[in-house]
Amino acid sequence: MLQTAPVNMEKALSTKLRARGINMTFTRDGVSTNVLENVDLEVNEGEFVCLLGPSGCGTSTLLNIAAGFLRPTSGEVTIDGDAVTGPDPRRIFVFQERGVFPWLSVEGNIDFGLFKLPGEERRRRIAHYIKMVGLQGFEKAYPGELSGGMKQRLEVARA
Ligand SMILES: Nc1ncnc2c1ncn2[C@@H]1O[C@H](COP(=O)(O)OP(=O)(O)O)[C@@H](O)[C@H]1O
Ligand SMILES: [Mg+2]
């Protein structure tokens, strides 16, 4: 039998991410390319959204703007109503090209972003995310000793 948890409709329908009138123009060697033109997007709390398009159409550019890694030429992104002006630990980003540090172990990579937390909390979180992605037993392993899929799972844990 399929059972679903009761849904808080007000929360479910509240807008989490809102992009308004996003334009992005890259200029290289004096040649301008419009990559995003007047893009509007609303994503609600709990929604799973997939951006699809041919290679080079601008999906990574839009995600980089939503993450705060790039500033759009014009337009604005808000998350929970707050304007995105730069990277923020409230948003996580799983990179397509590996974002893990090859010179740090599995636990070292997960620990890297936790520097503001007390030691006990860091250890708790490292153990939690290692378990979540099924890398128990590989805490001391380096990325070069992991398979491609395991490296991508470490990337999820790091994010
Ligand atoms: N930093 C940049 N400088 C100049 N052009 C860029 C830059 N980043 C992306 N582009 C160009 O913008 C277009 C969209 O790139 P991208 O968003 O990475 O595409 P995709 O939809 O495949 O993720 C491509 O033509 C790419 O060459
Ligand atoms: Mg891309």
Side-chain angles (χ1 to χ4, degrees):
M1 184 174 74
L2 179 72
Q3 283 189 314
T4 55
V7 174
N8 177 338
M9 286 309 284
E10 205 170 303
K11 193 165 183 231
L13 293 175
S14 67
T15 303
K16 189 79 185 166
L17 180 149
R18 175 176 281 130
R20 278 282 160 80
I22 302 292
N23 290 286
M24 190 67 179
T25 303
F26 289 112
T27 306
R28 202 176 33 203
D29 300 331
V31 181
S32 294
T33 313
N34 293 332
V35 174
L36 301 173
E37 210 169 82
N38 225 5
V39 174
D40 293 321
L41 176 70
E42 278 189 13
V43 181
N44 293 323
E45 176 92 45
E47 227 181 341
F48 186 100
V49 172
C50 183
L51 296 173
L52 282 180
S55 173
C57 76
T59 51
S60 291
T61 301
L62 184 59
L63 289 179
N64 281 319
I65 291 169
F69 299 139
L70 280 179
R71 297 300 300 269
T73 308
S74 63
E76 188 183 56
V77 178
T78 58
I79 291 181
D80 290 332
D82 297 331
V84 171
T85 55
D88 187 296
R90 287 175 299 174
R91 302 184 290 272
I92 62 167
F93 202 100
V94 176
F95 294 98
Q96 188 172 11
E97 295 91 24
R98 305 239 145 76
V100 298
F101 297 122
W103 59 87
L104 291 178
S105 64
V106 164
E107 57 186 14
N109 267 283
I110 300 170
D111 192 37
F112 186 81
L114 305 177
F115 60 92
K116 286 189 179 158
L117 300 173
E120 186 55 35
E121 177 65 10
R122 291 165 77 140
R123 279 187 290 280
R124 193 191 66 74
R125 291 209 193 180
I126 293 166
H128 172 80
Y129 289 109
I130 283 177
K131 185 157 184 271
M132 186 186 87
V133 300
L135 284 176
Q136 300 104 307
F138 292 90
E139 290 84 352
K140 309 285 181 210
Y142 285 83
E145 301 169 297
L146 303 176
S147 73
M150 291 162 87
K151 270 188 278 228
Q152 200 59 12
R153 282 188 269 145
L154 173 59
E155 168 62 17
V156 171
R158 178 209 59 76

mmCIF file of all heavy atoms in Angstrom, residues 97-143:
data_model
loop_
_atom_site.group_PDB
_atom_site.id
_atom_site.type_symbol
_atom_site.label_atom_id
_atom_site.label_comp_id
_atom_site.label_asym_id
_atom_site.label_seq_id
_atom_site.Cartn_x
_atom_site.Cartn_y
_atom_site.Cartn_z
ATOM 1 N N GLU A 97 31.856 18.292 -12.669
ATOM 2 C CA GLU A 97 33.252 17.885 -12.604
ATOM 3 C C GLU A 97 33.571 17.810 -11.120
ATOM 4 O O GLU A 97 33.109 18.623 -10.345
ATOM 5 C CB GLU A 97 34.170 18.911 -13.275
ATOM 6 C CG GLU A 97 33.958 19.064 -14.776
ATOM 7 C CD GLU A 97 32.945 20.138 -15.121
ATOM 8 O OE1 GLU A 97 32.751 21.040 -14.284
ATOM 9 O OE2 GLU A 97 32.335 20.050 -16.197
ATOM 10 N N ARG A 98 34.360 16.845 -10.749
ATOM 11 C CA ARG A 98 34.540 16.564 -9.327
ATOM 12 C C ARG A 98 35.044 17.767 -8.544
ATOM 13 O O ARG A 98 36.011 18.424 -8.915
ATOM 14 C CB ARG A 98 35.508 15.392 -9.146
ATOM 15 C CG ARG A 98 35.042 14.179 -9.922
ATOM 16 C CD ARG A 98 34.807 12.978 -9.047
ATOM 17 N NE ARG A 98 33.676 12.217 -9.568
ATOM 18 C CZ ARG A 98 33.744 11.442 -10.644
ATOM 19 N NH1 ARG A 98 34.861 11.335 -11.325
ATOM 20 N NH2 ARG A 98 32.684 10.788 -11.042
ATOM 21 N N GLY A 99 34.364 17.996 -7.407
ATOM 22 C CA GLY A 99 34.737 19.096 -6.534
ATOM 23 C C GLY A 99 35.508 18.634 -5.317
ATOM 24 O O GLY A 99 35.814 19.435 -4.445
ATOM 25 N N VAL A 100 35.840 17.326 -5.255
ATOM 26 C CA VAL A 100 36.556 16.833 -4.065
ATOM 27 C C VAL A 100 38.051 17.113 -4.209
ATOM 28 O O VAL A 100 38.592 17.156 -5.312
ATOM 29 C CB VAL A 100 36.314 15.322 -3.819
ATOM 30 C CG1 VAL A 100 34.838 15.055 -3.571
ATOM 31 C CG2 VAL A 100 36.825 14.465 -4.954
ATOM 32 N N PHE A 101 38.700 17.332 -3.061
ATOM 33 C CA PHE A 101 40.136 17.591 -3.052
ATOM 34 C C PHE A 101 40.894 16.269 -3.058
ATOM 35 O O PHE A 101 40.731 15.466 -2.136
ATOM 36 C CB PHE A 101 40.530 18.396 -1.814
ATOM 37 C CG PHE A 101 39.914 19.755 -1.755
ATOM 38 C CD1 PHE A 101 39.123 20.124 -0.683
ATOM 39 C CD2 PHE A 101 40.134 20.677 -2.775
ATOM 40 C CE1 PHE A 101 38.557 21.397 -0.622
ATOM 41 C CE2 PHE A 101 39.570 21.945 -2.728
ATOM 42 C CZ PHE A 101 38.775 22.302 -1.641
ATOM 43 N N PRO A 102 41.753 16.035 -4.066
ATOM 44 C CA PRO A 102 42.453 14.737 -4.139
ATOM 45 C C PRO A 102 43.458 14.529 -2.999
ATOM 46 O O PRO A 102 43.817 13.399 -2.713
ATOM 47 C CB PRO A 102 43.157 14.781 -5.500
ATOM 48 C CG PRO A 102 43.149 16.198 -5.934
ATOM 49 C CD PRO A 102 42.024 16.890 -5.213
ATOM 50 N N TRP A 103 43.909 15.643 -2.367
ATOM 51 C CA TRP A 103 44.915 15.508 -1.309
ATOM 52 C C TRP A 103 44.290 15.335 0.075
ATOM 53 O O TRP A 103 45.003 15.259 1.062
ATOM 54 C CB TRP A 103 45.864 16.709 -1.319
ATOM 55 C CG TRP A 103 45.166 18.032 -1.112
ATOM 56 C CD1 TRP A 103 44.879 18.615 0.081
ATOM 57 C CD2 TRP A 103 44.664 18.895 -2.119
ATOM 58 N NE1 TRP A 103 44.221 19.799 -0.115
ATOM 59 C CE2 TRP A 103 44.084 20.007 -1.464
ATOM 60 C CE3 TRP A 103 44.643 18.850 -3.520
ATOM 61 C CZ2 TRP A 103 43.485 21.058 -2.165
ATOM 62 C CZ3 TRP A 103 44.036 19.907 -4.199
ATOM 63 C CH2 TRP A 103 43.484 20.980 -3.537
ATOM 64 N N LEU A 104 42.942 15.304 0.141
ATOM 65 C CA LEU A 104 42.280 15.065 1.428
ATOM 66 C C LEU A 104 41.571 13.722 1.383
ATOM 67 O O LEU A 104 41.058 13.318 0.335
ATOM 68 C CB LEU A 104 41.261 16.163 1.728
ATOM 69 C CG LEU A 104 41.803 17.566 2.029
ATOM 70 C CD1 LEU A 104 40.638 18.540 2.244
ATOM 71 C CD2 LEU A 104 42.726 17.558 3.239
ATOM 72 N N SER A 105 41.523 13.055 2.550
ATOM 73 C CA SER A 105 40.818 11.777 2.655
ATOM 74 C C SER A 105 39.311 12.023 2.552
ATOM 75 O O SER A 105 38.847 13.168 2.514
ATOM 76 C CB SER A 105 41.137 11.126 3.998
ATOM 77 O OG SER A 105 40.625 11.944 5.036
ATOM 78 N N VAL A 106 38.554 10.918 2.543
ATOM 79 C CA VAL A 106 37.090 11.014 2.517
ATOM 80 C C VAL A 106 36.611 11.885 3.674
ATOM 81 O O VAL A 106 35.871 12.857 3.489
ATOM 82 C CB VAL A 106 36.463 9.594 2.583
ATOM 83 C CG1 VAL A 106 34.984 9.649 2.941
ATOM 84 C CG2 VAL A 106 36.662 8.866 1.244
ATOM 85 N N GLU A 107 37.071 11.581 4.903
ATOM 86 C CA GLU A 107 36.578 12.389 6.035
ATOM 87 C C GLU A 107 37.136 13.811 5.987
ATOM 88 O O GLU A 107 36.453 14.752 6.369
ATOM 89 C CB GLU A 107 36.837 11.707 7.389
ATOM 90 C CG GLU A 107 38.260 11.363 7.675
ATOM 91 C CD GLU A 107 38.415 10.551 8.961
ATOM 92 O OE1 GLU A 107 37.416 10.021 9.494
ATOM 93 O OE2 GLU A 107 39.566 10.434 9.423
ATOM 94 N N GLY A 108 38.355 13.959 5.460
ATOM 95 C CA GLY A 108 38.936 15.297 5.339
ATOM 96 C C GLY A 108 38.146 16.175 4.383
ATOM 97 O O GLY A 108 37.964 17.370 4.616
ATOM 98 N N ASN A 109 37.667 15.587 3.274
ATOM 99 C CA ASN A 109 36.862 16.338 2.319
ATOM 100 C C ASN A 109 35.541 16.802 2.931
ATOM 101 O O ASN A 109 35.112 17.939 2.713
ATOM 102 C CB ASN A 109 36.569 15.483 1.077
ATOM 103 C CG ASN A 109 37.588 15.710 -0.026
ATOM 104 O OD1 ASN A 109 37.547 16.711 -0.729
ATOM 105 N ND2 ASN A 109 38.529 14.780 -0.154
ATOM 106 N N ILE A 110 34.896 15.911 3.696
ATOM 107 C CA ILE A 110 33.607 16.280 4.295
ATOM 108 C C ILE A 110 33.836 17.312 5.400
ATOM 109 O O ILE A 110 33.059 18.248 5.571
ATOM 110 C CB ILE A 110 32.881 15.022 4.833
ATOM 111 C CG1 ILE A 110 32.631 14.045 3.679
ATOM 112 C CG2 ILE A 110 31.568 15.401 5.518
ATOM 113 C CD1 ILE A 110 32.135 12.681 4.125
ATOM 114 N N ASP A 111 34.952 17.163 6.113
ATOM 115 C CA ASP A 111 35.277 18.063 7.226
ATOM 116 C C ASP A 111 35.599 19.483 6.746
ATOM 117 O O ASP A 111 35.403 20.452 7.476
ATOM 118 C CB ASP A 111 36.476 17.485 7.989
ATOM 119 C CG ASP A 111 36.711 18.181 9.318
ATOM 120 O OD1 ASP A 111 35.713 18.543 9.975
ATOM 121 O OD2 ASP A 111 37.886 18.349 9.693
ATOM 122 N N PHE A 112 36.076 19.592 5.515
ATOM 123 C CA PHE A 112 36.634 20.857 5.021
ATOM 124 C C PHE A 112 35.699 22.053 5.223
ATOM 125 O O PHE A 112 36.126 23.119 5.661
ATOM 126 C CB PHE A 112 37.003 20.720 3.541
ATOM 127 C CG PHE A 112 37.724 21.928 2.999
ATOM 128 C CD1 PHE A 112 39.081 22.091 3.221
ATOM 129 C CD2 PHE A 112 37.043 22.902 2.285
ATOM 130 C CE1 PHE A 112 39.751 23.200 2.735
ATOM 131 C CE2 PHE A 112 37.704 24.026 1.802
ATOM 132 C CZ PHE A 112 39.059 24.169 2.024
ATOM 133 N N GLY A 113 34.406 21.873 4.910
ATOM 134 C CA GLY A 113 33.462 22.990 5.005
ATOM 135 C C GLY A 113 32.870 23.188 6.385
ATOM 136 O O GLY A 113 32.037 24.060 6.592
ATOM 137 N N LEU A 114 33.286 22.362 7.351
ATOM 138 C CA LEU A 114 32.651 22.391 8.677
ATOM 139 C C LEU A 114 33.479 23.156 9.695
ATOM 140 O O LEU A 114 33.260 23.037 10.897
ATOM 141 C CB LEU A 114 32.433 20.945 9.179
ATOM 142 C CG LEU A 114 31.646 20.018 8.247
ATOM 143 C CD1 LEU A 114 31.562 18.606 8.837
ATOM 144 C CD2 LEU A 114 30.240 20.548 8.009
ATOM 145 N N PHE A 115 34.447 23.963 9.176
ATOM 146 C CA PHE A 115 35.433 24.570 10.073
ATOM 147 C C PHE A 115 34.840 25.458 11.157
ATOM 148 O O PHE A 115 35.483 25.693 12.163
ATOM 149 C CB PHE A 115 36.476 25.357 9.252
ATOM 150 C CG PHE A 115 35.885 26.468 8.426
ATOM 151 C CD1 PHE A 115 35.803 27.755 8.941
ATOM 152 C CD2 PHE A 115 35.411 26.221 7.142
ATOM 153 C CE1 PHE A 115 35.249 28.778 8.181
ATOM 154 C CE2 PHE A 115 34.847 27.239 6.388
ATOM 155 C CZ PHE A 115 34.761 28.515 6.902
ATOM 156 N N LYS A 116 33.595 25.932 10.969
ATOM 157 C CA LYS A 116 33.018 26.831 11.981
ATOM 158 C C LYS A 116 32.411 26.073 13.155
ATOM 159 O O LYS A 116 32.032 26.681 14.151
ATOM 160 C CB LYS A 116 31.940 27.707 11.340
ATOM 161 C CG LYS A 116 32.513 28.817 10.458
ATOM 162 C CD LYS A 116 31.451 29.779 10.012
ATOM 163 C CE LYS A 116 32.042 30.882 9.157
ATOM 164 N NZ LYS A 116 31.036 31.510 8.302
ATOM 165 N N LEU A 117 32.293 24.750 13.025
ATOM 166 C CA LEU A 117 31.581 23.979 14.052
ATOM 167 C C LEU A 117 32.553 23.395 15.079
ATOM 168 O O LEU A 117 33.716 23.134 14.760
ATOM 169 C CB LEU A 117 30.805 22.833 13.390
ATOM 170 C CG LEU A 117 29.753 23.256 12.367
ATOM 171 C CD1 LEU A 117 29.187 22.033 11.657
ATOM 172 C CD2 LEU A 117 28.632 24.032 13.048
ATOM 173 N N PRO A 118 32.070 23.144 16.310
ATOM 174 C CA PRO A 118 32.932 22.499 17.305
ATOM 175 C C PRO A 118 33.263 21.067 16.899
ATOM 176 O O PRO A 118 32.509 20.430 16.158
ATOM 177 C CB PRO A 118 32.095 22.528 18.592
ATOM 178 C CG PRO A 118 30.702 22.876 18.191
ATOM 179 C CD PRO A 118 30.750 23.513 16.835
ATOM 180 N N GLY A 119 34.406 20.567 17.391
ATOM 181 C CA GLY A 119 34.926 19.256 17.005
ATOM 182 C C GLY A 119 33.929 18.116 17.117
ATOM 183 O O GLY A 119 33.826 17.272 16.220
ATOM 184 N N GLU A 120 33.156 18.103 18.199
ATOM 185 C CA GLU A 120 32.205 17.015 18.430
ATOM 186 C C GLU A 120 31.140 16.990 17.324
ATOM 187 O O GLU A 120 30.811 15.940 16.774
ATOM 188 C CB GLU A 120 31.566 17.200 19.812
ATOM 189 C CG GLU A 120 30.660 16.087 20.249
ATOM 190 C CD GLU A 120 31.350 14.721 20.204
ATOM 191 O OE1 GLU A 120 32.569 14.635 20.492
ATOM 192 O OE2 GLU A 120 30.663 13.755 19.855
ATOM 193 N N GLU A 121 30.635 18.177 16.963
ATOM 194 C CA GLU A 121 29.605 18.301 15.927
ATOM 195 C C GLU A 121 30.181 17.928 14.555
ATOM 196 O O GLU A 121 29.516 17.303 13.731
ATOM 197 C CB GLU A 121 29.051 19.738 15.941
ATOM 198 C CG GLU A 121 28.009 20.050 14.877
ATOM 199 C CD GLU A 121 26.702 19.274 15.018
ATOM 200 O OE1 GLU A 121 26.500 18.610 16.064
ATOM 201 O OE2 GLU A 121 25.898 19.310 14.066
ATOM 202 N N ARG A 122 31.438 18.303 14.321
ATOM 203 C CA ARG A 122 32.084 17.939 13.046
ATOM 204 C C ARG A 122 32.156 16.432 12.908
ATOM 205 O O ARG A 122 31.813 15.872 11.867
ATOM 206 C CB ARG A 122 33.506 18.515 12.982
ATOM 207 C CG ARG A 122 33.541 20.016 12.865
ATOM 208 C CD ARG A 122 34.914 20.557 13.157
ATOM 209 N NE ARG A 122 35.827 20.358 12.046
ATOM 210 C CZ ARG A 122 36.725 21.279 11.658
ATOM 211 N NH1 ARG A 122 36.797 22.426 12.288
ATOM 212 N NH2 ARG A 122 37.527 21.032 10.661
ATOM 213 N N ARG A 123 32.593 15.761 13.997
ATOM 214 C CA ARG A 123 32.718 14.299 13.933
ATOM 215 C C ARG A 123 31.358 13.654 13.707
ATOM 216 O O ARG A 123 31.227 12.701 12.941
ATOM 217 C CB ARG A 123 33.371 13.771 15.231
ATOM 218 C CG ARG A 123 34.888 13.927 15.207
ATOM 219 C CD ARG A 123 35.545 13.251 16.413
ATOM 220 N NE ARG A 123 35.271 13.959 17.653
ATOM 221 C CZ ARG A 123 35.925 15.068 18.042
ATOM 222 N NH1 ARG A 123 36.890 15.562 17.291
ATOM 223 N NH2 ARG A 123 35.620 15.650 19.173
ATOM 224 N N ARG A 124 30.313 14.203 14.364
ATOM 225 C CA ARG A 124 28.963 13.647 14.218
ATOM 226 C C ARG A 124 28.504 13.783 12.759
ATOM 227 O O ARG A 124 27.973 12.859 12.165
ATOM 228 C CB ARG A 124 27.991 14.401 15.149
ATOM 229 C CG ARG A 124 26.637 13.710 15.312
ATOM 230 C CD ARG A 124 25.627 14.610 16.010
ATOM 231 N NE ARG A 124 25.270 15.780 15.201
ATOM 232 C CZ ARG A 124 24.481 15.727 14.127
ATOM 233 N NH1 ARG A 124 23.973 14.589 13.723
ATOM 234 N NH2 ARG A 124 24.224 16.835 13.443
ATOM 235 N N ARG A 125 28.736 14.958 12.185
ATOM 236 C CA ARG A 125 28.289 15.183 10.799
ATOM 237 C C ARG A 125 29.066 14.343 9.793
ATOM 238 O O ARG A 125 28.503 13.835 8.833
ATOM 239 C CB ARG A 125 28.425 16.661 10.440
ATOM 240 C CG ARG A 125 27.432 17.491 11.188
ATOM 241 C CD ARG A 125 27.069 18.705 10.417
ATOM 242 N NE ARG A 125 26.359 19.640 11.278
ATOM 243 C CZ ARG A 125 25.910 20.812 10.883
ATOM 244 N NH1 ARG A 125 26.125 21.199 9.648
ATOM 245 N NH2 ARG A 125 25.263 21.583 11.703
ATOM 246 N N ILE A 126 30.378 14.221 9.993
ATOM 247 C CA ILE A 126 31.185 13.400 9.084
ATOM 248 C C ILE A 126 30.634 11.974 9.082
ATOM 249 O O ILE A 126 30.374 11.395 8.019
ATOM 250 C CB ILE A 126 32.671 13.425 9.492
ATOM 251 C CG1 ILE A 126 33.252 14.836 9.272
ATOM 252 C CG2 ILE A 126 33.477 12.389 8.714
ATOM 253 C CD1 ILE A 126 34.607 15.052 9.956
ATOM 254 N N ALA A 127 30.396 11.416 10.288
ATOM 255 C CA ALA A 127 29.881 10.041 10.385
ATOM 256 C C ALA A 127 28.503 9.939 9.731
ATOM 257 O O ALA A 127 28.217 8.976 9.003
ATOM 258 C CB ALA A 127 29.820 9.616 11.860
ATOM 259 N N HIS A 128 27.657 10.955 9.940
ATOM 260 C CA HIS A 128 26.298 10.942 9.387
ATOM 261 C C HIS A 128 26.330 10.895 7.854
ATOM 262 O O HIS A 128 25.641 10.091 7.222
ATOM 263 C CB HIS A 128 25.553 12.192 9.870
ATOM 264 C CG HIS A 128 24.218 12.385 9.230
ATOM 265 N ND1 HIS A 128 23.097 11.693 9.633
ATOM 266 C CD2 HIS A 128 23.820 13.175 8.195
ATOM 267 C CE1 HIS A 128 22.074 12.053 8.884
ATOM 268 N NE2 HIS A 128 22.476 12.952 7.993
ATOM 269 N N TYR A 129 27.168 11.759 7.242
ATOM 270 C CA TYR A 129 27.157 11.830 5.777
ATOM 271 C C TYR A 129 27.905 10.664 5.138
ATOM 272 O O TYR A 129 27.542 10.237 4.031
ATOM 273 C CB TYR A 129 27.667 13.201 5.305
ATOM 274 C CG TYR A 129 26.648 14.275 5.605
ATOM 275 C CD1 TYR A 129 26.874 15.228 6.589
ATOM 276 C CD2 TYR A 129 25.422 14.280 4.950
ATOM 277 C CE1 TYR A 129 25.903 16.176 6.895
ATOM 278 C CE2 TYR A 129 24.454 15.224 5.249
ATOM 279 C CZ TYR A 129 24.696 16.169 6.226
ATOM 280 O OH TYR A 129 23.734 17.085 6.529
ATOM 281 N N ILE A 130 28.908 10.124 5.840
ATOM 282 C CA ILE A 130 29.580 8.927 5.320
ATOM 283 C C ILE A 130 28.585 7.767 5.275
ATOM 284 O O ILE A 130 28.504 7.020 4.298
ATOM 285 C CB ILE A 130 30.829 8.599 6.157
ATOM 286 C CG1 ILE A 130 31.952 9.573 5.771
ATOM 287 C CG2 ILE A 130 31.267 7.144 5.962
ATOM 288 C CD1 ILE A 130 33.230 9.425 6.556
ATOM 289 N N LYS A 131 27.755 7.668 6.321
ATOM 290 C CA LYS A 131 26.740 6.609 6.360
ATOM 291 C C LYS A 131 25.688 6.864 5.275
ATOM 292 O O LYS A 131 25.273 5.943 4.560
ATOM 293 C CB LYS A 131 26.099 6.588 7.754
ATOM 294 C CG LYS A 131 25.116 5.466 7.981
ATOM 295 C CD LYS A 131 24.981 5.166 9.479
ATOM 296 C CE LYS A 131 24.079 3.967 9.724
ATOM 297 N NZ LYS A 131 22.666 4.352 9.865
ATOM 298 N N MET A 132 25.282 8.119 5.124
ATOM 299 C CA MET A 132 24.230 8.460 4.161
ATOM 300 C C MET A 132 24.607 8.029 2.742
ATOM 301 O O MET A 132 23.765 7.548 1.994
ATOM 302 C CB MET A 132 23.963 9.962 4.193
ATOM 303 C CG MET A 132 22.783 10.409 3.339
ATOM 304 S SD MET A 132 22.637 12.209 3.294
ATOM 305 C CE MET A 132 23.718 12.569 1.923
ATOM 306 N N VAL A 133 25.877 8.185 2.372
ATOM 307 C CA VAL A 133 26.275 7.844 1.006
ATOM 308 C C VAL A 133 26.944 6.461 0.929
ATOM 309 O O VAL A 133 27.433 6.071 -0.124
ATOM 310 C CB VAL A 133 27.198 8.926 0.384
ATOM 311 C CG1 VAL A 133 26.490 10.278 0.326
ATOM 312 C CG2 VAL A 133 28.525 9.035 1.134
ATOM 313 N N GLY A 134 26.945 5.734 2.055
ATOM 314 C CA GLY A 134 27.445 4.352 2.041
ATOM 315 C C GLY A 134 28.945 4.234 1.847
ATOM 316 O O GLY A 134 29.409 3.331 1.157
ATOM 317 N N LEU A 135 29.713 5.127 2.464
ATOM 318 C CA LEU A 135 31.175 5.038 2.337
ATOM 319 C C LEU A 135 31.833 4.606 3.655
ATOM 320 O O LEU A 135 33.022 4.867 3.871
ATOM 321 C CB LEU A 135 31.760 6.374 1.851
ATOM 322 C CG LEU A 135 31.571 6.695 0.362
ATOM 323 C CD1 LEU A 135 32.097 8.088 0.024
ATOM 324 C CD2 LEU A 135 32.262 5.656 -0.537
ATOM 325 N N GLN A 136 31.064 3.907 4.530
ATOM 326 C CA GLN A 136 31.661 3.416 5.773
ATOM 327 C C GLN A 136 32.811 2.471 5.433
ATOM 328 O O GLN A 136 32.707 1.669 4.503
ATOM 329 C CB GLN A 136 30.641 2.646 6.631
ATOM 330 C CG GLN A 136 29.434 3.443 7.062
ATOM 331 C CD GLN A 136 28.212 3.050 6.242
ATOM 332 O OE1 GLN A 136 28.273 3.062 5.016
ATOM 333 N NE2 GLN A 136 27.137 2.699 6.921
ATOM 334 N N GLY A 137 33.899 2.590 6.176
ATOM 335 C CA GLY A 137 35.065 1.756 5.917
ATOM 336 C C GLY A 137 36.068 2.451 5.008
ATOM 337 O O GLY A 137 37.196 1.996 4.853
ATOM 338 N N PHE A 138 35.660 3.574 4.395
ATOM 339 C CA PHE A 138 36.549 4.301 3.476
ATOM 340 C C PHE A 138 36.909 5.690 4.014
ATOM 341 O O PHE A 138 37.378 6.543 3.267
ATOM 342 C CB PHE A 138 35.893 4.421 2.093
ATOM 343 C CG PHE A 138 35.771 3.100 1.389
ATOM 344 C CD1 PHE A 138 34.636 2.322 1.549
ATOM 345 C CD2 PHE A 138 36.808 2.617 0.598
ATOM 346 C CE1 PHE A 138 34.522 1.085 0.920
ATOM 347 C CE2 PHE A 138 36.704 1.389 -0.033
ATOM 348 C CZ PHE A 138 35.561 0.614 0.134
ATOM 349 N N GLU A 139 36.680 5.866 5.332
ATOM 350 C CA GLU A 139 36.907 7.192 5.947
ATOM 351 C C GLU A 139 38.306 7.725 5.676
ATOM 352 O O GLU A 139 38.496 8.917 5.456
ATOM 353 C CB GLU A 139 36.697 7.120 7.466
ATOM 354 C CG GLU A 139 35.252 6.923 7.905
ATOM 355 C CD GLU A 139 34.800 5.457 7.890
ATOM 356 O OE1 GLU A 139 35.556 4.588 7.400
ATOM 357 O OE2 GLU A 139 33.669 5.195 8.359
ATOM 358 N N LYS A 140 39.303 6.818 5.701
ATOM 359 C CA LYS A 140 40.705 7.252 5.566
ATOM 360 C C LYS A 140 41.201 7.167 4.118
ATOM 361 O O LYS A 140 42.365 7.477 3.850
ATOM 362 C CB LYS A 140 41.627 6.380 6.449
ATOM 363 C CG LYS A 140 41.184 6.247 7.900
ATOM 364 C CD LYS A 140 41.464 7.496 8.704
ATOM 365 C CE LYS A 140 41.024 7.318 10.157
ATOM 366 N NZ LYS A 140 40.618 8.574 10.778
ATOM 367 N N ALA A 141 40.329 6.708 3.212
ATOM 368 C CA ALA A 141 40.750 6.533 1.814
ATOM 369 C C ALA A 141 40.834 7.889 1.115
ATOM 370 O O ALA A 141 40.129 8.840 1.477
ATOM 371 C CB ALA A 141 39.757 5.641 1.081
ATOM 372 N N TYR A 142 41.699 7.983 0.116
ATOM 373 C CA TYR A 142 41.831 9.202 -0.695
ATOM 374 C C TYR A 142 41.030 9.029 -1.980
ATOM 375 O O TYR A 142 40.829 7.892 -2.440
ATOM 376 C CB TYR A 142 43.314 9.480 -0.977
ATOM 377 C CG TYR A 142 43.997 10.034 0.257
ATOM 378 C CD1 TYR A 142 44.470 9.172 1.244
ATOM 379 C CD2 TYR A 142 44.079 11.412 0.467
ATOM 380 C CE1 TYR A 142 45.032 9.669 2.422
ATOM 381 C CE2 TYR A 142 44.638 11.916 1.620
ATOM 382 C CZ TYR A 142 45.113 11.047 2.599
ATOM 383 O OH TYR A 142 45.641 11.550 3.751
ATOM 384 N N PRO A 143 40.554 10.128 -2.587
ATOM 385 C CA PRO A 143 39.732 10.020 -3.790
ATOM 386 C C PRO A 143 40.337 9.114 -4.865
ATOM 387 O O PRO A 143 39.611 8.368 -5.526
ATOM 388 C CB PRO A 143 39.607 11.471 -4.255
ATOM 389 C CG PRO A 143 39.649 12.259 -2.981
ATOM 390 C CD PRO A 143 40.652 11.533 -2.115
#
